[in-house]
Amino acid sequence: MAYVITQPCCNDASCVDVCPVNCIHPTPDEAPFATTEMLYIDPDTCIDCGACVDECPVEAIFPDNELDEDDAPYLQMNASYFEKHPMGPDWPEPITMAKIDPELGTLKVAIIGSGPAACYAAMELTGKPRVEVDMFDRLPTPYGLVRAGVAPDHPGTKGVTDQFRAVVAKKTVRCHFNVEVGTHISHSELLDHHHAVIYAVGAAGDRKLEIPGEELPGSHAATEFVAWYNGHPGYADRTFDLSGERAVIVGNGNVALDVARILVTDPDQLTKTDLAEHALEALRNSKIREVVILGRRGPAQAAYTNPELLALGQMANVDVVVDPIEAELDEASQAFVDSDAAEPSVLLKVKQAQEFASRTADPSRKRIVLRFLTSPVEILGDGAVAQVRIVKNELVATPTGQLSARPTETEETIDTSLVLRSVGYRGTPMADLPFDDARGVIPNENGRVIDTETGTPIPGVYVAGWIKRGPTGVIGTNKYCSAETVSMIFDDFAGGRLATPTEDADKLQVLLADRSPDQVDYQGWQRIDKAERASGAAAGRPRTKLISIESMLAAARSEG
């Protein structure tokens, strides 16, 4: 028997640390980790100890003899990784943290944001003695995209919040939710009260298509739709036209697949999730029966991961449709797939697309149509979205050996009343900090923020997560990213490169009480959480989210 990692894998690598035989890869120190879809267990090396099962925060690991039918493909997926990447003889070198002389006193760090990168940074910081953390978030609720971005029908992925809850509850962590940096407290004031400030603010913006008609009513960012159905208070009042029978999603990453699933899933199934009530009601009245997902390159280059693609094919009463012609690889793609450079995950994407293409769709069912080698060139409509004009692409090799999509002269139009662009998140500038507009990140080296004029680190200022590296990876990818940043802080503190705070914690509390009297601490968040869970339990759901700041604050102030 061997253990197998399955779909919920969050890549946080907790399992790697506890494996006594180093059979879980890629580790954070290995090159493939930055782009891997998930982690894998080598079945030939696994000794069946089960240590990884207890450590996994999202319950993604199972014995191979207990896999259900839906998870059976993961047995081969795990094994295939090690056929491509055989086990090496040595353990990778982990990130090491500088030792801090106790005479330096207590290290005080502010963390801006409370999503995965922020929480992992707090875990690393408070794992050492004599460290105090102040965590800030502009919303009254923590956990960032785990709360407002993870699809409601993936509850296992949200299990990572159990780890986050443990760290924000620590006595050495003070929570300041419903506090916005730049409005209630400035960057310089944060540095007055702390040795270091970590910006872990994610990527709140989205990328544009830059095509005519993109601003028509009925054309939206998929990120807005995700925030809407997840109950984000900034998006709860949005409306989306679900009156047509077809929706078009531009881009084929995991967010696109999440959105497609939500649009065609039976609402009765969604009542078992924490999907926002207003979204559930809208989906009950939705007329959408088909979702078309447009990808500019072929199935071998699709942006989604195999676990998400497999989950798509396991939906009840929903067909996944692929044109057999689009599933076939052109000469350039076939050469890449056949090359030694191709990862097993690429081969599986192609195989799965071709398997979908071989199926016969049932006209009575809803469907998700995966289109490849297509790009939108214009959104058409008289006052609202009515059609999308698309062009067929061909793949051509670039001088670096990559395959790029080049438009042909073949065009068609698709009738639709809803277009959702899902072409990537993008970081936004922060007051008083440099910003790389081309990449959408705060310029940095290993987490140290860099002054773009001098090319040197700005003392005491750091970044972690998507605002550091761009919107790449999954939840657990932030663990290693944050650990790298924290190692820079410890190194700078031990080396005497951080200025001593001129103000103390009591003065910070006075300042925030004056500027943001409605701030929510950990106990306030616990009351919000309790209210949501109680309301959800009454309806047979994990929670019913509060969707307005006012209702959240009322719950935070309650006595119950």
Side-chain angles (χ1 to χ4, degrees):
M1 185 186 78
Y3 283 89
V4 179
I5 299 178
T6 64
Q7 190 271 334
C9 178
C10 71
N11 290 27
D12 91 332
S14 297
C15 53
V16 171
D17 296 334
V18 300
C19 178
V21 293
N22 188 28
C23 73
I24 305 176
H25 292 263
T27 69
D29 308 87
E30 296 170 337
F33 182 81
T35 56
T36 189
E37 295 185 342
M38 54 183 285
L39 305 184
Y40 306 91
I41 294 175
D42 180 14
D44 294 333
T45 308
C46 177
I47 60 173
D48 313 333
C49 69
C52 55
V53 177
D54 295 332
E55 197 67 22
C56 179
V58 293
E59 299 181 359
I61 306 176
F62 300 92
D64 59 9
N65 61 353
E66 294 182 12
L67 293 173
D68 60 28
E69 183 178 353
D70 287 347
D71 286 336
Y74 290 96
L75 181 61
Q76 183 57 45
M77 288 171 63
N78 278 248
S80 294
Y81 179 83
F82 294 94
E83 293 171 4
K84 175 71 177 178
H85 302 281
M87 290 283 290
D90 302 319
W91 286 79
E93 290 294 326
I95 288 177
T96 56
M97 301 290 179
K99 293 183 179 180
I100 300 175
D101 188 335
E103 293 187 2
L104 289 175
T106 298
L107 171 63
K108 298 181 180 181
V109 181
I111 301 177
I112 317 308
S114 65
C119 288
Y120 281 127
M123 289 169 62
E124 291 289 346
L125 287 164
T126 58
K128 300 289 186 182
R130 298 178 300 281
V131 178
E132 294 179 359
V133 170
D134 285 294
M135 182 177 286
F136 297 81
D137 198 292
R138 64 188 182 88
L139 293 178
T141 56
Y143 309 146
L145 281 181
V146 178
R147 177 179 170 95
V150 172
D153 60 345
H154 280 359
T157 305
K158 298 189 179 188
V160 72
T161 56
D162 291 338
Q163 285 189 334
F164 299 164
R165 185 180 301 110
V167 71
V168 298
K170 286 186 175 183
K171 292 182 179 179
T172 52
V173 177
R174 291 178 293 269
C175 298
H176 310 281
F177 302 146
N178 203 40
V179 175
E180 185 168 14
V181 173
T183 299
H184 300 116
I185 187 170
S186 69
H187 171 69
S188 62
E189 288 170 330
L190 287 170
L191 286 172
D192 289 341
H193 292 84
H194 303 90
H195 292 91
V197 180
I198 303 175
Y199 285 86
V201 294
D206 67 273
R207 299 185 183 277
K208 304 287 188 180
L209 297 174
E210 306 295 347
I211 61 174
E214 185 173 12
E215 303 305 322
L216 280 171
S219 171
H220 309 270
T223 54
E224 297 175 4
F225 189 73
V226 170
W228 170 76
Y229 67 60
N230 271 312
H232 189 295
Y235 297 86
D237 61 350
R238 301 293 175 90
T239 58
F240 298 88
D241 185 358
L242 307 181
S243 63
E245 292 194 354
R246 180 184 292 119
V248 173
I249 302 174
V250 181
N252 62 5
N254 285 346
V255 171
L257 269 57
D258 284 345
V259 170
R261 281 199 325 276
I262 295 298
L263 282 169
V264 295
T265 295
D266 184 342
D268 287 341
Q269 294 184 35
L270 295 174
T271 60
K272 303 170 186 176
T273 74
D274 65 356
L275 187 88
E277 286 287 341
H278 60 264
L280 185 59
E281 182 62 25
L283 290 168
R284 286 191 183 281
N285 296 312
S286 172
K287 298 296 190 295
I288 291 175
R289 296 190 54 79
E290 178 179 284
V291 179
V292 179
I293 300 176
L294 304 179
R296 64 186 177 91
R297 296 189 292 175
Q301 298 85 22
Y304 51 66
T305 61
N306 279 298
E308 292 298 326
L309 183 62
L310 288 170
L312 210 65
Q314 293 161 358
M315 296 180 66
N317 300 315
V318 175
D319 286 324
V320 180
V321 177
V322 177
D323 185 328
I325 295 177
E326 293 185 3
E328 292 302 318
L329 302 183
D330 60 17
E331 184 176 342
S333 292
Q334 189 65 57
F336 172 72
V337 168
D338 292 339
S339 71
D340 292 338
E343 290 289 332
S345 58
V346 173
L347 305 180
L348 184 56
K349 284 181 182 179
V350 173
K351 179 181 177 182
Q352 188 61 48
Q354 292 175 346
E355 198 278 326
F356 286 145
S358 70
R359 297 181 184 181
T360 300
D362 183 342
S364 68
R365 292 184 172 187
K366 293 181 180 180
R367 61 175 58 189
I368 296 173
V369 181
L370 297 178
R371 295 291 307 270
F372 298 103
L373 294 169
T374 58
S375 295
V377 291
E378 185 177 12
I379 299 175
L380 306 169
D382 184 11
V385 171
Q387 291 179 318
V388 178
R389 184 164 62 91
I390 65 173
V391 63
K392 293 292 293 182
N393 298 324
E394 62 180 0
L395 294 179
V396 295
T398 66
T400 60
Q402 301 296 314
L403 293 179
S404 177
R406 182 174 66 186
T408 68
E409 295 182 356
T410 303
E411 294 187 353
E412 65 178 282
T413 57
I414 302 174
D415 293 336
T416 183
S417 58
L418 178 64
V419 174
L420 299 170
R421 64 179 181 274
S422 183
V423 290
Y425 288 81
R426 176 180 169 80
T428 55
M430 296 292 297
D432 303 318
L433 293 180
F435 189 72
D436 182 341
D437 193 62
R439 295 183 57 215
V441 299
I442 293 174
N444 69 95
E445 291 180 1
N446 302 320
R448 291 185 176 105
V449 174
I450 299 299
D451 185 324
T452 52
E453 293 185 0
T454 65
T456 59
I458 301 175
V461 188
Y462 305 84
V463 284
W466 281 1
I467 198 64
K468 169 185 174 182
R469 67 181 192 276
T472 61
V474 293
I475 291 172
T477 312
N478 294 290
K479 185 175 183 180
Y480 182 79
C481 174
S482 295
E484 179 185 59
T485 296
V486 170
S487 72
M488 299 296 105
I489 295 175
F490 284 147
D491 185 59
D492 290 344
F493 186 54
R497 291 184 288 274
L498 300 182
T500 301
T502 57
E503 307 290 350
D504 60 22
D506 289 339
K507 289 186 178 180
L508 177 63
Q509 287 293 83
V510 171
L511 182 152
L512 293 175
D514 178 58
R515 305 260 189 89
S516 181
D518 289 327
Q519 71 169 304
V520 175
D521 59 12
Y522 175 72
Q523 288 72 29
W525 154 239
Q526 286 297 93
R527 288 189 283 270
I528 295 172
D529 185 48
K530 182 179 179 180
E532 291 185 340
R533 290 178 182 273
S535 179
R541 308 181 66 190
R543 72 170 65 235
T544 301
K545 288 180 178 175
L546 299 173
I547 60 169
S548 70
I549 300 295
E550 293 73 20
S551 62
M552 292 176 183
L553 295 180
R557 300 186 191 107
S558 68
E559 299 296 330

